[in-house]
Amino acid sequence: MKTELDSLATALYVKTDDLLKGSPQFSPWRPAVGIAPRLSDAELVTLAMMQAMLGFTSEARWLRHAHTHLRHLFPYLPKQPGYNKRLRKAAELVRRVTRALASDTTLWTDDVWVVDSTPVECGRSRETVKRSDLAGWAEYGYCASHSRFFWGLRLHLVCTLQGLPVAFALTGAKADERETLLDLLAVEPHLIGERPSQILIGDKNYFGREFERQLAELDMRLRPQGRGRARRITAVQAAAAGHRVDQRDLQGTTRSRTPPRPHTRRRGRPCPAAHPRTHRRDLAQRPHRPAGHAGTDRLRPLNPLE
């Protein structure tokens, strides 16, 4: 297998161009009469895929890198504003190509999935909540892992044991995780048809008799059945047995803690005793009196002769 950059770019371009020729409806809408773009849709998707694979988070920095090192592969490279506008319009095409590339890998046919959700915080101050354009979408919710409330959305993700995303959804912060998973499976029914007897691994928020019954009707099993940490680790290891995932990643760290070593400078030297002193909070308190000491001994009858 060749791992050079030119071969990767060529393979991505051929794959995207074949997809667009077979399904031209995936291309962004463009008027019949007008100026033809100098950068084709297949080249745009190839450029975006290579940016993600090479780890460039800045579009301007990526385009400077492409002008320097990839000029022989792309006859025309747009500037950053035009590149950003083209990518926004081709978001659906990029998603289709990503799914096509993922389905060609061996990880796509894995029979074990991991499902979970994570909070996506969109604002903290009250003024931000009032002025945000996400009003109506974002809402207040509670994150049990961080033990705090947040305002925003919740990202639901289904992926393989190796980390390949299968399906995802953005919902409100109070959306039920079980209902969201059922909606994801209903929107994309081909995910279930391609994988009989699929195994799902989730936390305690995904357990329930009615929910497990609905998954059983879809020929899917939910593991682990227990809610304890030890039983969860055992069930994950049993579900991942025979797969290409390393068992050490599931067991966590096995390194034992090193016992503290004595200080070399103070070895054999006696430690001086701490000087006893009154605690600061007790400075304003009265001295302690014995239990048998009554408070009336300080009172004496008044003698009119004195």
Side-chain angles (χ1 to χ4, degrees):
M1 178 183 293
K2 295 182 179 180
T3 58
E4 56 181 355
L5 194 61
D6 295 356
S7 301
L8 174 63
T10 305
L12 286 174
Y13 175 78
V14 172
K15 182 69 176 180
T16 307
D17 190 61
D18 293 343
L19 178 63
L20 290 177
K21 290 180 179 179
S23 303
Q25 69 274 9
F26 294 157
S27 302
W29 179 85
R30 190 173 290 110
V33 179
I35 301 176
R38 299 177 61 181
L39 185 70
S40 64
D41 294 333
E43 293 175 343
L44 175 68
V45 174
T46 303
L47 201 61
M49 290 291 180
M50 294 181 64
Q51 175 187 353
M53 291 180 180
L54 296 180
F56 283 87
T57 57
S58 173
E59 294 180 352
R61 185 176 299 176
W62 163 245
L63 290 177
R64 288 197 299 267
H65 177 82
H67 273 283
T68 305
H69 300 89
L70 304 177
R71 190 62 179 175
H72 61 285
L73 297 176
F74 299 93
Y76 172 76
L77 289 174
K79 296 184 179 180
Q80 192 273 334
Y83 177 70
N84 184 269
K85 292 179 182 179
R86 291 285 303 274
L87 276 183
R88 289 177 179 271
K89 293 182 179 180
E92 182 65 21
L93 175 60
V94 173
R95 190 181 71 86
R96 297 281 184 176
V97 174
T98 304
R99 173 60 61 87
L101 294 176
S103 59
D104 288 344
T105 61
T106 57
L107 304 179
W108 184 256
T109 57
D110 197 349
D111 57 348
V112 179
W113 287 347
V114 180
V115 54
D116 201 358
S117 65
T118 181
V120 181
E121 188 176 3
C122 301
R124 291 194 175 184
S125 64
R126 183 60 182 171
E127 296 299 327
T128 303
V129 173
K130 290 181 179 179
R131 298 193 303 262
S132 177
D133 295 335
L134 295 175
W137 295 90
E139 55 187 359
Y140 284 99
Y142 181 75
C143 179
S145 59
H146 297 86
S147 301
R148 64 181 177 86
F149 290 90
F150 69 97
W151 185 83
L153 305 173
R154 186 174 289 275
L155 174 62
H156 304 261
L157 179 64
V158 180
C159 63
T160 62
L161 290 177
Q162 289 78 12
L164 178 65
V166 177
F168 69 94
L170 272 175
T171 62
K174 298 180 180 178
D176 191 357
E177 295 177 339
R178 293 171 291 188
E179 295 180 359
T180 305
L181 178 59
L182 293 176
D183 293 340
L184 279 175
L185 298 177
V187 170
E188 299 184 2
H190 61 277
L191 294 177
I192 307 174
E194 296 175 356
R195 303 170 180 82
S197 302
Q198 186 70 28
I199 299 176
L200 282 175
I201 298 177
D203 55 9
K204 62 181 180 181
N205 296 327
Y206 288 93
F207 284 89
R209 293 183 178 179
E210 181 63 23
F211 178 68
E212 294 179 13
R213 185 189 63 81
Q214 294 177 358
L215 289 181
E217 294 178 356
L218 300 175
D219 198 9
M220 304 184 72
R221 292 176 295 170
L222 185 64
R223 290 186 181 181
Q225 299 297 335
R227 297 191 179 186
R229 182 178 181 275
R231 298 183 64 182
R232 284 202 302 269
I233 294 177
T234 304
V236 170
Q237 292 175 354
H243 286 74
R244 294 171 296 275
V245 65
D246 193 354
Q247 295 293 330
R248 291 175 297 179
D249 297 339
L250 301 176
Q251 295 175 0
T253 177
T254 57
R255 182 180 61 181
S256 60
R257 294 186 177 181
T258 305
R261 294 179 297 178
H263 203 285
T264 56
R265 293 185 178 181
R266 295 185 179 181
R267 180 177 300 175
R269 297 175 56 185
C271 182
H275 181 71
R277 59 181 181 179
T278 309
H279 198 272
R280 183 177 297 177
R281 60 176 296 185
D282 299 330
L283 293 179
Q285 297 181 359
R286 293 183 177 180
H288 177 68
R289 293 179 299 172
H293 185 76
T296 59
D297 57 351
R298 294 176 298 176
L299 301 179
R300 60 178 180 175
L302 294 177
N303 191 356
L305 299 179
E306 291 182 358

